[in-house]
C-alpha cells in the first residue's frame, strides 16, 4: 500500500497489513491463553482489542469487529460497558482458571519507504541537488503487552506497556473504569491514562506504516502554534462518560493534565477539558452512521522558569489558552 503527500512524497509498502496478515502470511503476535488460539489475530501494532475476549465468551471476533480492527456497534457497546456482556460471565469469579486476558504482540515486517524532493549533498562535486531517497528491508514493529478485562462486576481495567522497536518501554494506557454507576449506563468514570473518545480510534489503524499509520488530522498543528498537543495522544486524567443502551447516543467529559499525556508535571499549572457528543442512526442500506461534535479546551505555557544559573527548567509558565473544536461524521 502506498501513502503520499505532495511535499515531500512518502510511500510506504507494508505487505503484511490488514487482511493479508489475518490470512496467514505472518504471525503478528503471540497470544497467551490456557487454550489454543481460536480467534483471528489482529495485526496492527496499536490495536485496542484482545482476542482472548472471543474465547472468554465463546464468540467469533466478527461479533465485535465489522472489519478488523474496526469495531461494529455491538463491539463498541461491549467496550463501553467495560468489556462486559452484562451477564454472569463478566465477573472474574465465573471465568475458567485457564483464562488469562493478556496478549504479547510484535510484528515482523518488510517495508519500503521513499521520500522525493530531498536535498542530497554530493561530496564529489561539493554541490547539493534535489533527489529521492529510498530505504527498504526487514524490520520489527514495537511490542505491546495488552491486559484488559474485569476486576469485579462493573470494575474494568486496561494496561498496555508498550515498547518501540529499539526496546524502550513506556505505558501507553493504564486505567481503571467504574461502570454503570447507580445502575445507569449514562454514568461511567475512568481514571488513569487513556485514549480520548474520538469518533475513530487511532489505535485501530488498518495498515503498517512509519508515516501514514497515524491519523494525521489528530496531530495537525496550525502554523506558528507551539503546542505539542495531539487529539490522538493518550492523555492522563479522569473521564465521565455515558451512552444509551444501544450505544447510539454517547457523550464524554474528561478533565486532563496539561502535559499531553506525559508523566510528571512540567506544565502542571492547569487542567484541560475534552468534551464530545455523538448520535448514531440507521441509514438504510448504508448501515449505521454517526455524527457528533467535540471541543478541547487547553492551556499551554509560553515560557520556562530559570534556575539560579540562568538555565531553563522543565517548568512551563505564562499559560495561555487554546482550543480545538469541530463537527464530524462517519
Amino acid at each position: 500500500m502506498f501513502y503520499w503527500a505532495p511535499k515531500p512524497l512518502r510511500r510506504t509498502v507494508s505487505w503484511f497489513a490488514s487482511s493479508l496478515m489475518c490470512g496467514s502470511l505472518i504471525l503478528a503476535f503471540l497470544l497467551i491463553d490456557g487454550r489454543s488460539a481460536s480467534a483471528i489475530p489482529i495485526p496492527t501494532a496499536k490495536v485496542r482489542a484482545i482476542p482472548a475476549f472471543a474465547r472468554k465468551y465463546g464468540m467469533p471476533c466478527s461479533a465485535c469487529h465489522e472489519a478488523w480492527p474496526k469495531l461494529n456497534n455491538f463491539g463498541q457497546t461491549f467496550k463501553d460497558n467495560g468489556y462486559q456482556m452484562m451477564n454472569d460471565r463478566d465477573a472474574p469469579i465465573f471465568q475458567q482458571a485457564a483464562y488469562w486476558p493478556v496478549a504479547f504482540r510484535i510484528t515482523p515486517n518488510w517495508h519500503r519507504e521513499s521520500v522525493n524532493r530531498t536535498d542530497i549533498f554530493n561530496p564529489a562535486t561539493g554541490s547539493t541537488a534535489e533527489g529521492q531517497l529510498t530505504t527498504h528491508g526487514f524490520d520489527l514493529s514495537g511490542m505491546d503487552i495488552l491486559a484488559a478485562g474485569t476486576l469485579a462486576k462493573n470494575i474494568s481495567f486496561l494496561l498496555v506497556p508498550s515498547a518501540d522497536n529499539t526496546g524502550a518501554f513506556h505505558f501507553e494506557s493504564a486505567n481503571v473504569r467504574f461502570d454503570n454507576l447507580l445502575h445507569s449506563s449514562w454514568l461511567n468514570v475512568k481514571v488513569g491514562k487513556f485514549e480520548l473518545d474520538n469518533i475513530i480510534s487511532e489505535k485501530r489503524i488498518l495498515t503498517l506504516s512509519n508515516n501514514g499509520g497515524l491519523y494525521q488530522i489528530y496531530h495537525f498543528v496550525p502554523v506558528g502554534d507551539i503546542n505539542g498537543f495531539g487529539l490522538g495522544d493518550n492523555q492522563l486524567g479522569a473521564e465521565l462518560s455515558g451512552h444509551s443502551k444501544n450505544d447510539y447516543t454517547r457523550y464524554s467529559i474528561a478533565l486532563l493534565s496539561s502535559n499531553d499525556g506525559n508523566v510528571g508535571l512540567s506544565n502542571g499549572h492547569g487542567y484541560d477539558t475534552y468534551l464530545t457528543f455523538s448520535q448514531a442512526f440507521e441509514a438504510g442500506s448504508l448501515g449505521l452512521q454517526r455524527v457528533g461534535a467535540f471541543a478541547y479546551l487547553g492551556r499551554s505555557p509560553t515560557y520556562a522558569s530559570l534556575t539560579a544559573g540562568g538555565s531553563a527548567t522543565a517548568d512551563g509558565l505564562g499559560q495561555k489558552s487554546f482550543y480545538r473544536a469541530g463537527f464530524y461524521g462517519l
Side-chain angles (χ1 to χ4, degrees), residues 2-4 10-12 113 202 205-216:
F2 293 87
Y3 302 87
W4 65 276
R10 295 177 179 271
R11 293 181 177 178
T12 301
E113 298 178 10
E202 187 175 84
I205 56 179
L206 296 174
T207 58
L208 293 172
S209 170
N210 193 44
N211 176 62
L214 301 177
Y215 293 141
Q216 306 291 349

Side-chain angles (χ1 to χ4, degrees), residues 75-297:
Q76 184 65 55
T77 304
F78 174 73
K79 177 184 176 184
D80 284 343
N81 282 328
Y83 312 118
Q84 298 180 117
M85 293 288 186
M86 309 309 292
N87 59 32
D88 287 343
R89 298 189 65 178
D90 294 330
I93 192 173
F94 295 108
Q95 297 169 4
Q96 296 189 22
Y99 175 77
W100 189 33
V102 175
F104 291 78
R105 181 169 55 227
I106 188 169
T107 308
N109 60 80
W110 181 91
H111 64 98
R112 176 183 183 275
E113 298 178 10
S114 184
V115 183
N116 73 345
R117 305 189 67 178
T118 301
D119 289 337
I120 300 177
F121 177 74
N122 188 339
T125 62
S127 61
T128 299
E130 186 180 277
Q132 179 169 307
L133 293 177
T134 301
T135 59
H136 54 83
F138 294 97
D139 209 345
L140 289 175
S141 72
M143 185 179 76
D144 293 332
I145 303 174
L146 300 98
T150 53
L151 299 173
K153 183 176 178 59
N154 288 326
I155 302 178
S156 54
F157 75 97
L158 173 64
L159 176 63
V160 185
S162 182
D164 60 24
N165 55 5
T166 67
F169 263 92
H170 67 283
F171 288 99
E172 183 177 329
S173 295
N175 60 75
V176 62
R177 174 170 151 151
F178 303 92
D179 307 294
N180 304 305
L181 299 177
L182 302 179
H183 306 287
S184 173
S185 64
W186 294 103
L187 294 175
N188 308 278
V189 174
K190 182 189 298 181
V191 180
K193 187 173 184 178
F194 51 85
E195 182 182 17
L196 297 178
D197 189 28
N198 296 318
I199 188 170
I200 300 178
S201 170
E202 187 175 84
K203 314 307 176 184
R204 300 181 181 279
I205 56 179
L206 296 174
T207 58
L208 293 172
S209 170
N210 193 44
N211 176 62
L214 301 177
Y215 293 141
Q216 306 291 349
I217 195 170
Y218 286 164
H219 300 275
F220 169 76
V221 177
V223 175
D225 194 329
I226 64 172
N227 295 297
F229 165 77
L231 277 174
D233 296 334
N234 286 14
Q235 304 291 333
L236 278 163
E239 176 192 59
L240 172 66
S241 63
H243 58 93
S244 59
K245 292 298 183 181
N246 62 5
D247 216 57
Y248 280 20
T249 306
R250 307 178 70 248
Y251 81 91
S252 169
I253 304 172
L255 182 67
L256 311 166
S257 292
S258 301
N259 54 4
D260 196 32
N262 296 311
V263 296
L265 300 175
S266 57
N267 298 331
H269 306 287
Y271 294 90
D272 298 346
T273 302
Y274 183 67
L275 310 170
T276 182
F277 173 85
S278 67
Q279 177 65 51
F281 56 91
E282 293 286 349
S285 60
L286 295 177
L288 191 70
Q289 311 297 310
R290 184 175 292 275
V291 294
F294 71 92
Y296 190 100
L297 311 175

Side-chain angles (χ1 to χ4, degrees), residues 3-69:
Y3 302 87
W4 65 276
K7 183 180 182 179
L9 178 66
R10 295 177 179 271
R11 293 181 177 178
T12 301
V13 176
S14 177
W15 298 106
F16 306 116
S18 190
S19 58
L20 293 179
M21 293 181 62
C22 289
S24 69
L25 291 179
I26 192 169
L27 181 60
F29 58 83
L30 301 177
L31 181 70
I32 305 301
D33 193 285
R35 288 166 283 180
S36 61
S38 60
I40 298 175
I42 300 174
T44 357
K46 296 295 182 184
V47 175
R48 275 295 165 274
I50 298 184
F53 289 147
R55 298 184 182 86
K56 175 182 177 180
Y57 290 98
M59 301 176 67
C61 289
S62 57
C64 289
H65 299 272
E66 65 181 57
W68 288 283

